[in-house]
């Protein structure tokens, strides 16, 4: 049984991966400062959660040693595009310095396996869609730039220190645990589907549609949504594919896009009520169309998503939000 440390393990995606790995028989620990994460998202949190910052080298080293960690899944990061534009210093410190500190702690304790949570935001949005794992990477916002910098550091460390790594670039994570007990709950929510559902619950007055003049069928943005359990499955598969010195990159998405208007309309159909929306100008850093081709993930790792439709994904999210209107 492998011992796994998940940085950002109390966050939305990190905790989903933690629960997935626990269910698959791994011994898993979360490392999180709880600035955005939720202790309640971690089963047996008292024994599994280490509260700390990824910039704390000494705590990382002692944790890796004491828990006899075999592999790290590194989710901890700042992830908002608009925030990164307004506060790039925080993003360089948290994402780049934080990732380097995690790598330094791994080198110091001889941990050789890393699964890194990256993003579609590292790509050039001028590239033809769907994006491939080897499409040009030319990010335009600090969030994407810092994540690409992390990928570069990881590749350098892999060559010198025998670390093997899977870089997981996923698109729009969505959905909730099928049990209805765990889901997306942020202090500052920025993701479309929870914002739509929170509007339906009356927790927000309206949902804003940013940009209604895109070159898409209904003139709103198109995105590729993938369920967090399918992301978690991809992380487990990639962990067991890692080889020393080798860095592989994979895109995680369903390979099809859904527009903002379609998300609202489908949500209205599932919930059975009208959801108030207001059109707004485009936001800085937003591409009009963004979706991937996950074929490499399917071919090399045998990944097969369980949630193949946006309806299934939204239904799972609604099941969580309606029973937890105030989150955790």
């Amino acid at each position: 049984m492998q011992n796994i440390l998940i940085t950002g393990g109390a966050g939305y995606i990190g905790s989903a991966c933690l629960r997935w790995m626990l269910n698959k028989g791994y011994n898993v620990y979360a490392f999180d400062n709880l600035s955005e994460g939720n202790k309640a998202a971690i089963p047996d949190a008292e024994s599994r959660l280490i509260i700390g910052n990824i910039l704390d080298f000494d705590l990382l080293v002692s944790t890796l040693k004491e828990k006899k960690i075999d592999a790290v899944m590194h989710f901890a990061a700042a992830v908002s595009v608009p925030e990164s534009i307004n506060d790039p210093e925080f993003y360089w410190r948290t994402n780049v310095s934080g990732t380097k500190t995690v790598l330094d702690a791994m080198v110091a304790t001889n941990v050789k396996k890393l699964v890194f949570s990256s993003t579609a935001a590292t790509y050039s949005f001028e590239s033809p869609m769907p994006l491939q794992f080897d499409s040009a990477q030319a990010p335009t916002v600090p969030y994407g730039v810092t994540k690409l910098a992390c990928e570069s550091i990881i590749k350098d460390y892999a060559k010198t220190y025998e670390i093997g790594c899977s870089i997981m670039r996923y698109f729009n994570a969505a959905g909730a645990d099928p049990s209805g007990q765990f889901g997306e709950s942020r202090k500052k929510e920025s993701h479309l589907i929870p914002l739509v559902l929170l509007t339906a619950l009356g927790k927000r007055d309206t949902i804003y549609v940013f940009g209604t003049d895109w070159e898409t069928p209904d003139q709103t943005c198109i995105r590729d949504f993938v369920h967090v359990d399918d992301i978690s499955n991809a992380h487990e598969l990639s962990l067991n594919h890692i080889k020393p010195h080798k860095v592989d990159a994979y895109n995680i998405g369903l390979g099809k896009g859904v527009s903002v208007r379609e998300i609202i309309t489908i949500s209205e159909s599932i919930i059975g009520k009208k959801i108030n929306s207001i059109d707004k100008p485009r936001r800085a850093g937003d591409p009009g169309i963004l979706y991937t081709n996950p074929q490499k993930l399917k071919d090399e790792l045998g990944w097969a998503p369980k949630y193949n439709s946006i309806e299934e994904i939204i239904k799972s999210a609604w099941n969580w939000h309606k029973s937890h209107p105030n989150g955790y």
Side-chain angles (χ1 to χ4, degrees):
M1 178 174 62
Q2 293 187 67
N3 297 322
I4 312 296
L5 184 69
I6 299 184
T7 70
Y12 169 49
I13 306 173
S15 67
C17 192
L18 181 144
R19 296 188 300 271
W20 177 277
M21 299 298 284
L22 280 176
N23 289 336
K24 294 293 182 175
Y26 296 83
N27 191 23
V28 192
Y29 299 93
F31 190 99
D32 200 297
N33 66 2
L34 300 182
S35 61
E36 289 292 336
N38 296 280
K39 185 176 179 180
I42 303 170
D44 305 316
E46 294 302 327
S47 61
R48 297 197 181 276
L49 172 63
I50 298 96
I51 299 175
N53 193 298
I54 54 170
L55 291 166
D56 189 337
F57 173 79
D58 291 338
L59 181 58
L60 279 168
V61 167
S62 64
T63 300
L64 293 171
K65 285 181 178 177
E66 290 170 11
K67 305 301 183 184
K68 296 181 171 59
I69 297 300
D70 299 298
V72 174
M73 291 183 169
H74 180 35
F75 290 89
V79 299
S80 167
V81 168
E83 184 184 55
S84 77
I85 294 170
N86 293 327
D87 191 2
E89 186 279 331
F90 176 66
Y91 275 68
W92 279 92
R93 175 162 41 90
T94 302
N95 294 354
V96 181
S97 297
T99 296
K100 180 183 178 297
T101 305
V102 170
L103 286 164
D104 288 338
M106 290 175 62
V107 171
T109 55
N110 204 35
V111 177
K112 299 295 189 183
K113 291 184 178 182
L114 174 68
V115 181
F116 177 62
S117 170
S118 192
T119 171
T122 63
Y123 288 113
S124 166
F125 297 149
E126 302 301 317
S127 295
M129 297 293 156
L131 290 171
Q132 314 293 329
F133 75 93
D134 56 356
S135 291
Q137 289 182 281
T140 58
V141 295
Y143 169 53
V145 172
T146 58
K147 281 291 195 173
L148 183 56
C150 293
E151 291 190 14
S152 296
I153 296 171
I154 288 166
K155 290 173 183 176
D156 288 342
Y157 273 59
K159 290 176 186 176
T160 303
Y161 303 111
E162 297 185 356
I163 293 171
C165 179
S166 292
I167 293 173
M168 313 303 284
R169 302 181 190 128
Y170 35 84
F171 284 62
N172 288 65
D177 192 276
S179 70
Q181 293 181 288
F182 306 99
E184 193 164 3
S185 178
R186 287 187 174 84
K187 296 175 179 67
K188 296 179 289 185
E189 187 54 72
S190 60
H191 288 182
L192 176 63
I193 290 175
L195 290 175
V196 169
L197 300 181
L198 289 170
T199 303
L201 286 166
K203 294 295 178 179
R204 295 171 52 89
D205 293 330
T206 189
I207 179 71
Y208 296 123
V209 178
F210 292 101
T212 57
D213 57 351
W214 299 99
E215 293 180 9
T216 63
D218 64 15
Q219 297 187 294
T220 64
C221 287
I222 287 176
R223 295 291 183 268
D224 190 337
F225 294 87
V226 58
H227 196 280
V228 283
D229 278 6
D230 289 324
I231 291 175
S232 301
N233 181 23
H235 280 69
E236 183 199 1
L237 292 170
S238 72
L239 172 67
N240 293 313
H241 189 73
I242 288 173
K243 302 290 189 298
H245 289 298
K246 197 167 190 299
V247 178
D248 278 309
Y250 301 95
N251 288 352
I252 313 178
L254 291 187
K256 52 190 175 184
V258 185
S259 77
V260 173
R261 289 245 193 266
E262 286 176 310
I263 293 292
I264 295 171
T265 301
I266 292 167
S267 297
E268 289 175 337
S269 176
I270 290 169
I271 297 165
K273 66 179 288 187
K274 182 72 175 173
I275 298 171
N276 188 41
S277 66
I278 294 176
D279 294 346
K280 291 276 192 176
R282 296 183 184 187
R283 291 183 301 189
D286 274 352
I289 302 174
L290 190 61
Y291 68 103
T292 188
N293 177 3
Q295 199 59 45
K296 182 185 178 186
L297 189 61
K298 294 177 178 181
D299 291 345
E300 290 192 5
L301 304 185
W303 182 73
K306 177 182 176 183
Y307 295 84
N308 282 296
S309 73
I310 191 61
E311 288 82 3
E312 293 175 282
I313 293 171
I314 294 175
K315 282 178 182 176
S316 73
W318 177 238
N319 189 34
W320 153 258
H321 283 291
K322 71 180 178 181
S323 61
H324 297 79
N326 298 313
Y328 289 104

